[in-house]
Amino acid sequence: MMKFKPNQTRTYDGEGFKRRAACVCFRNEREDEVLLVSSSRHLDQWIVPGGGIEPNEEPSGAAVREVYEEAGVKGKLGRLLGIFELNQDRKHRTYVYTFVVTETLEVWEESLTIGRKRKWFELDEAIKVLQSHKPDHAVYLHRLRDICNPPHSPTNGNALSSSVTDNNAPHYVVRPAKGSGHVNNR
């Protein structure tokens, strides 16, 4: 099923990347349960809620708007996990934040118009589900795990490094490296 949206305006940055924003939504501050939504194109597959940044919109505002539209939840925006450039073919640059859900709507617009669903997953289960259907989104949760539990051994080039702990921290761009991501300070 194709998603219909009245506003198809896409914004791009100076380097030609489509500007996007997303939130990794948690049930509470423990950050151990993640809310995923069904894809608009494949309702049997799960994704992290997110989408395009509209003209004159800040990434954080877009992230909150997208969570409300796609997941039908409200809550508290948290820290910036990173700025991800994982889809090089389509040139997306996605700002990904944490978000703690405080209110869940019974029915929301995209549940009615396209049949979108939402479901809570334990963190490890969410990673597995995303890895099989949307590996770019699984990287967000790997990034979260690396920030919360940094590896004690030297990196072998396959792990993400350099933590981003709050919205005032330097921005990092997570780019793909052969088979996995690495972090570049921007």
Side-chain angles (χ1 to χ4, degrees):
M1 175 185 272
M2 295 300 292
K3 179 168 48 172
F4 169 78
K5 286 188 124 181
N7 181 357
Q8 289 291 325
T9 303
R10 300 288 186 232
T11 60
Y12 296 85
D13 64 18
E15 297 176 73
F17 283 85
K18 185 186 304 182
R19 298 179 69 227
R20 296 179 41 83
C23 285
V24 176
C25 299
F26 297 105
R27 189 182 294 266
N28 54 46
E29 301 284 340
R30 288 192 313 265
E31 298 185 350
D32 56 358
E33 287 183 88
V34 179
L35 183 68
L36 300 179
V37 297
S38 58
S39 166
S40 61
R41 291 190 179 115
H42 307 283
L43 292 174
D44 60 336
Q45 297 179 5
W46 299 101
I47 61 170
V48 171
I53 299 173
E54 295 179 0
N56 302 316
E57 187 176 37
E58 292 296 320
S60 58
V64 170
R65 177 183 50 75
E66 287 291 340
V67 164
Y68 179 75
E69 290 175 1
E70 293 188 0
V73 296
K74 297 179 181 179
K76 179 183 169 194
L77 185 69
R79 67 195 179 280
L80 177 68
L81 284 177
I83 305 168
F84 295 78
E85 295 176 0
L86 299 171
N87 191 333
Q88 293 297 308
D89 294 336
R90 298 178 71 190
K91 290 191 75 167
H92 291 170
R93 185 169 281 155
T94 306
Y95 294 73
V96 180
Y97 298 86
T98 61
F99 184 89
V100 176
V101 174
T102 59
E103 183 180 344
T104 305
L105 303 176
E106 286 292 320
V107 177
W108 66 103
E109 185 176 345
E110 289 194 9
S111 70
L112 296 173
T113 58
I114 63 171
R116 196 182 295 270
K117 296 172 180 43
R118 62 180 173 224
K119 182 178 176 182
W120 290 103
F121 292 87
E122 295 291 327
L123 182 60
D124 290 338
E125 183 184 4
I127 290 172
K128 288 178 188 172
V129 167
L130 290 172
Q131 195 62 49
S132 65
H133 297 293
K134 195 72 169 175
D136 287 354
H137 290 196
V139 172
Y140 307 159
L141 300 182
H142 284 293
R143 172 85 171 138
L144 173 77
R145 182 181 281 161
D146 290 342
I147 291 169
C148 294
N149 302 308
H152 293 89
S153 60
T155 180
N156 62 6
N158 292 327
L160 301 174
S161 60
S162 302
S163 74
V164 175
T165 55
D166 62 38
N167 292 342
N168 296 320
H171 291 195
Y172 293 83
V173 177
V174 180
R175 292 188 175 106
K178 297 179 184 179
S180 68
H182 68 277
V183 178
N184 292 327
N185 192 355
R186 296 223 13 132

